[in-house]
Amino acid sequence: MGRIMQVIDKRSNFTSGTVDLKLYQTNFVGLTKVITDVPGQTVLNATEGQNVGYQFFHDLCLKQLEIRNYVDRFKPVYNVEIDKKKPTVNDLLSFSYNWKSCVDYRSQIVSGDKADYRLFQKVVNAEKELYDYRLYVSDHVKRNCDIMAVWSMKRMYGSNTNTIRTKEIETHGSGDHGWELVSNGTYIQGEIIYGARDKRYVDLKNLQNIPVGESDFITVRTGGTTFKLITTRHRLGTTSDDGYFNLTIGFEYIVNSGDIHRFNGVERLISLNNVKSPHFKKDGVYDLEFFRTRRLI
C-alpha cells in the first residue's frame, strides 16, 4: 500500500530559509508497473504508448535542476539590493533558501524500479517546490517591504507628514509689528507661533493633503509686509508614488515694506501622522523590481 501526500498548508521561515508543509494522506493500492530502459528517451520525445524508461525521469530531473539553477540567480541579486538598503533600514531580512525536494534524484531511479508513489513523489515534490519557491520569494519581498513600511512611519513621506515649522522670523527693532495669517492654502493651513515681541515662527499644517508633485502656500502679513510660505510634496519618481517632503520652506514677498530683519535657525519637523507609506505596498505579486525601486528618504 502506498500513500499520496497532498499539501494543505505552507509556512515560510524567513530567518532559516525553509518552508514547512502540512500534508494530507490519501491511500491507493495495486500499482505493479515498473520502470524500463528506453535509451535516448526524453521528456520531449516520449510518445503515447511507449514504455517509460528511467531515462525519462532522469531528463525530467535535469530540466528541474536547470530551472532551479536559473531561479537561484535571483538570490545574490536580491541580497545585493537588501544590502544597499540595510544601512538605512537595518532590520531587513537577508534572503536564503534551502532546497529539499528539487535535488538530483537520478541515482534513485533505475531500470526495474516500481512505478509507485515513492517514485512519483520525487518528481511531484520537486515540481511543487519550484512552484513554492516563487511564492516564498514573493512572501520574502513582501515581508521586507512591510519592514520598510513600518520604518517609513518615522520619515517624511507624503502621506505621513503633517506639520513643519519655519525658521525664526525676526522683524526690525524690538517692537511688535503685528502678525496676521492672511490666507490658508488650497490644501494646507498655517498658524503663527509666538517667539518674542519681534520674533515669530509659522507652522504649515496638514501637508499630507497636497497632491504628489504639487506645491501649496499660505500668506502672512507683518506690518506692511506680506509674503508667501511655500512647501512642495516632491515626487519619488516610482510606482506607488507617495511623494515626500523636506524641510525647505519657500519664501516669496508679495509686498516688501522692510519689516523683516532676518531669519534665524533652521526649519523643523513638528509632527508626523504615524502612518505607513503606501510606497511600500502593491497589489499582486511582490517581486525584485518592486523591491529594488523602493526609494528610501
Side-chain angles (χ1 to χ4, degrees):
M1 179 178 292
R3 293 178 176 86
I4 293 177
M5 309 303 287
Q6 177 185 356
V7 177
I8 60 174
D9 188 30
K10 177 180 74 71
R11 297 179 182 275
S12 302
N13 186 317
F14 298 107
T15 302
S16 63
T18 60
V19 176
D20 293 327
L21 302 178
K22 183 183 290 186
L23 306 176
Y24 176 78
Q25 174 181 308
T26 303
N27 294 335
F28 66 94
V29 297
L31 282 180
T32 58
K33 298 290 185 179
V34 297
I35 303 302
T36 60
D37 182 357
V38 183
Q41 188 180 61
T42 68
V43 171
L44 296 179
N45 67 20
T47 59
E48 183 178 354
Q50 273 189 325
N51 288 330
V52 179
Y54 71 88
Q55 293 91 341
F56 176 93
F57 295 99
H58 285 200
D59 183 56
L60 178 58
C61 178
L62 288 174
K63 285 180 168 54
Q64 290 169 336
L65 291 174
E66 183 179 354
I67 295 173
R68 169 183 161 170
N69 291 336
Y70 176 79
V71 298
D72 263 350
R73 299 175 190 174
F74 167 89
K75 290 193 287 188
V77 177
Y78 180 32
N79 278 321
V80 166
E81 295 299 326
I82 293 171
D83 289 343
K84 288 179 182 178
K85 291 178 168 59
K86 269 191 173 182
T88 305
V89 187
N90 55 29
D91 53 349
L92 289 176
L93 301 168
S94 295
F95 181 79
S96 63
Y97 187 87
N98 300 317
W99 295 95
K100 294 182 178 180
S101 298
C102 189
V103 296
D104 191 346
Y105 53 76
R106 288 175 295 170
S107 64
Q108 301 173 43
I109 300 179
V110 298
S111 180
D113 280 348
K114 290 182 180 180
D116 60 9
Y117 84 98
R118 294 180 182 85
L119 182 145
F120 293 109
Q121 185 182 51
K122 296 180 179 65
V123 175
V124 172
N125 283 357
E127 289 292 324
K128 182 68 166 61
E129 187 171 32
L130 287 171
Y131 174 77
D132 281 344
Y133 178 84
R134 289 178 292 173
L135 299 180
Y136 178 81
V137 167
S138 180
D139 286 349
H140 194 282
V141 174
K142 182 180 184 301
R143 176 59 180 144
N144 271 339
C145 286
D146 289 343
I147 291 171
M148 291 189 290
V150 172
W151 167 85
S152 74
M153 295 172 69
K154 302 298 182 184
R155 307 294 295 181
M156 292 177 65
Y157 285 94
S159 58
N160 192 41
T161 307
N162 187 293
T163 304
I164 56 177
R165 180 170 291 175
T166 64
K167 301 173 183 178
E168 182 183 69
I169 305 171
E170 181 179 351
T171 53
H172 284 288
S174 58
D176 189 338
H177 288 229
W179 288 79
E180 177 189 359
L181 177 64
V182 177
S183 65
N184 287 308
T186 303
Y187 304 104
I188 65 175
Q189 289 74 48
E191 181 181 0
I192 297 170
I193 307 298
Y194 184 86
R197 286 180 59 83
D198 60 338
K199 299 177 179 67
R200 299 290 190 278
Y201 304 94
V202 182
D203 284 356
L204 306 182
K205 298 182 174 183
N206 296 323
L207 304 187
Q208 75 279 352
N209 294 333
I210 301 175
V212 175
E214 295 189 21
S215 300
D216 199 9
F217 65 89
I218 64 171
T219 306
V220 177
R221 180 184 298 121
T222 178
T225 297
T226 305
F227 57 91
K228 295 179 181 179
L229 294 170
I230 309 163
T231 188
T232 301
R233 186 171 178 175
H234 302 281
R235 294 185 182 276
L236 293 167
T238 65
T239 56
S240 303
D241 195 337
D242 188 29
Y244 70 96
F245 291 94
N246 55 36
L247 291 175
T248 300
I249 298 175
F251 180 92
E252 181 180 316
Y253 282 112
I254 298 173
V255 177
N256 184 3
S257 297
D259 295 87
I260 294 177
H261 174 48
R262 63 186 176 186
F263 298 89
N264 306 311
V266 296
E267 293 92 345
R268 287 183 287 163
L269 173 65
I270 299 301
S271 68
L272 296 171
N273 294 316
N274 295 317
V275 297
K276 298 177 183 178
S277 172
H279 180 59
F280 300 101
K281 186 175 182 179
K282 68 172 295 189
D283 295 327
V285 176
Y286 284 73
D287 53 22
L288 175 60
E289 180 63 15
F290 183 76
F291 180 81
R292 184 186 67 77
T293 56
R294 293 315 87 194
R295 184 172 171 187
L296 306 181
I297 61 172

